[in-house]
Amino acid sequence: KIVPVILAGGKGERFWPLSTPENPKQCLPIVSDQPMIVDTYNRLKDFDDFFIVANSFLCDKFRKLLPENVNYIEEPIARNTAPAIGLACITLLQKYGDCIVFFETADHYYEDISHYIKDIKNACTFASNHDKIVLIGITPKNPHTGYGYIKSGSNVENDLFLVDSFKEKPDLPTAQKYVKDGKYSWNSGMFIGKSSVILHEIEKSLPSLFSGLQNIKEGDFSKEILHDEFSKFEKISIDYGVLERSNETVVLQSTMPWDDIGDFNAVSRILKPDSEGNFSKNPIHSLDAHGNIIISKKLVALIDVEELIIVDTKDALLICKRSESQKIRDIIRKYNN
Ligand code: GDD
Ligand code: MG
């Protein structure tokens, strides 16, 4: 049995003011005309069962957007992806016994769905025959410092390689070295493995998370125990917590077109530019203005400005240099404390 599980509990902070805690990017139509969670569901709806892990508030929002047959795993509090993945694995083990879990996120964009499904199915076949976690690697296009980098070792079969090492979010000089080296792939964030194998890797790398998960299982997933254990969990992503430390990973080197919708710059990779090279879903007026990204329901007029992000919502207006889009997270944190 193959079960897709979507990690959808993120805050989408770098999409503020479009994305807010009440309405994060997963619920918004950023790349198409549909909320990102709906696009994710549509891509995977041919699987028999489909699970989403997020907090209860978000699960309620998704229930309004998605068909009734979707299953939800509700986290009491966000503790980043390692606890969310652990909770999903123990839930599925209890429901189905051991099964193949395909973890995916709600913020990816794929141009070629059939290529995507073909690679995922190959990874699932490998994971059902071997006790390994299969990562999906993407050929790096630039030294992006927001991704994980996977170094391939020897070939296992076809596009699958042993993982030599995994480095989450390297600094720029390191990322530049990796891209030049040629042996590294970007970590797409998707991975596939038996629920028992993923849990075993959690046990080896994050023993206190593992014992908390055992308590949750023994406590029959009661709300109180879930909350108690989650509040004790360290906030850590699967990438830092498990993938950097595990010796049981392989990488499927994929050539599929893949994009991470991580911040407003992604909009420029998906929308077609207008004649002056600006990106907007609605028509804008521009005079000598180039390379700007505009999100607004109003008519926006630009004169002689370049490479800006301008986002106008009913509550807030953001003006930011495109090169500084990572700092949107910083300004939220500065004013929320
Ligand atoms: N349920 C749940 N709970 N989901 C979460 C939580 C949480 O506490 N935190 C984050 N998520 C979800 C997000 O909604 C997103 O879909 C996914 O997990 C990944 O989290 P991000 O915050 O977007 O991670 P990232 O983009 O910095 O890095 C990851 O993705 C990159 C590719 O997009 C890593 O896996 C990198 O190695 C990878 O290259
Ligand atoms: Mg992301």
Side-chain angles (χ1 to χ4, degrees), residues 14 25 105 107-108 146-147 169 260-262:
R14 283 164 298 175
K25 69 173 174 181
T105 73
D107 59 352
H108 289 158
Y147 296 154
K169 302 193 188 356
D260 167 70
I261 311 302

Side-chain angles (χ1 to χ4, degrees), residues 7-10 26 53-54 75 78-81 84 105-108 146-148 166 168-169 187-189 239 258 260:
L7 298 161
Q26 302 86 302
V53 201
E75 300 161 305
R79 280 290 181 259
N80 213 322
T81 51
T105 73
D107 59 352
H108 289 158
Y147 296 154
F166 183 107
E168 179 65 5
K169 302 193 188 356
N187 175 35
S188 65
D239 316 284
W258 168 92
D260 167 70

Side-chain angles (χ1 to χ4, degrees), residues 39-57:
D39 284 338
T40 308
Y41 169 80
N42 284 336
R43 194 162 79 223
L44 295 168
K45 62 174 184 263
D46 291 341
F47 287 89
D48 303 340
D49 280 308
F50 178 90
F51 283 77
I52 295 180
V53 201
N55 64 44
S56 312
F57 174 78

Side-chain angles (χ1 to χ4, degrees), residues 176-188:
Q176 285 166 333
K177 201 178 80 197
Y178 288 169
V179 173
K180 237 175 155 180
D181 181 283
K183 288 204 183 73
Y184 289 81
S185 311
W186 278 342
N187 175 35
S188 65

Side-chain angles (χ1 to χ4, degrees), residues 12-46:
E13 284 177 321
R14 283 164 298 175
F15 275 97
W16 182 87
L18 209 56
S19 170
T20 57
E22 296 70 41
N23 214 17
K25 69 173 174 181
Q26 302 86 302
C27 301
L28 299 172
I30 290 181
V31 286
S32 71
D33 295 329
Q34 314 230 58
M36 296 194 76
I37 194 77
V38 175
D39 284 338
T40 308
Y41 169 80
N42 284 336
R43 194 162 79 223
L44 295 168
K45 62 174 184 263
D46 291 341

Side-chain angles (χ1 to χ4, degrees), residues 50-226:
F50 178 90
F51 283 77
I52 295 180
V53 201
N55 64 44
S56 312
F57 174 78
L58 284 177
C59 287
D60 282 342
K61 295 206 75 126
F62 299 151
R63 284 188 181 94
K64 294 189 187 118
L65 296 167
L66 296 173
E68 266 177 19
N69 61 348
V70 173
N71 303 287
Y72 297 90
I73 299 171
E74 299 189 13
E75 300 161 305
I77 27 176
R79 280 290 181 259
N80 213 322
T81 51
I85 286 165
L87 178 63
C89 287
I90 59 168
T91 306
L92 295 177
L93 257 178
Q94 156 124 339
K95 200 167 156 88
Y96 301 120
D98 209 5
C99 58
I100 306 293
V101 197
F102 161 38
F103 283 101
E104 169 61 304
T105 73
D107 59 352
H108 289 158
Y109 172 72
Y110 302 86
E111 247 169 55
D112 183 348
I113 307 289
S114 59
H115 192 164
Y116 163 81
I117 297 286
K118 178 177 94 23
D119 284 355
I120 298 308
K121 294 216 157 138
N122 284 344
C124 289
T125 306
F126 187 84
S128 64
N129 296 326
H130 302 83
D131 286 346
K132 296 279 180 192
I133 297 179
V134 186
L135 311 176
I136 307 290
I138 305 288
T139 314
K141 292 203 185 78
N142 53 56
H144 198 294
T145 54
Y147 296 154
Y149 284 75
I150 306 163
K151 186 178 187 192
S152 291
S154 46
N155 185 238
V156 184
E157 57 177 56
N158 304 323
D159 308 335
L160 282 145
F161 295 78
L162 292 179
V163 172
D164 218 46
S165 59
F166 183 107
K167 173 79 184 149
E168 179 65 5
K169 302 193 188 356
D171 59 20
L172 186 60
T174 311
Q176 285 166 333
K177 201 178 80 197
Y178 288 169
V179 173
K180 237 175 155 180
D181 181 283
K183 288 204 183 73
Y184 289 81
S185 311
W186 278 342
N187 175 35
S188 65
M190 291 179 267
F191 64 93
I192 293 111
K194 290 181 195 134
S195 42
S196 59
V197 171
I198 299 170
L199 276 173
H200 192 51
E201 291 311 291
I202 291 179
E203 181 177 12
K204 286 196 269 180
S205 299
L206 298 170
S208 56
L209 171 59
F210 183 79
S211 69
L213 293 168
Q214 292 298 105
N215 294 343
I216 292 172
K217 205 168 78 188
E218 279 154 27
D220 236 358
F221 296 80
S222 90
K223 278 209 160 143
E224 295 70 39
I225 295 177
L226 248 176

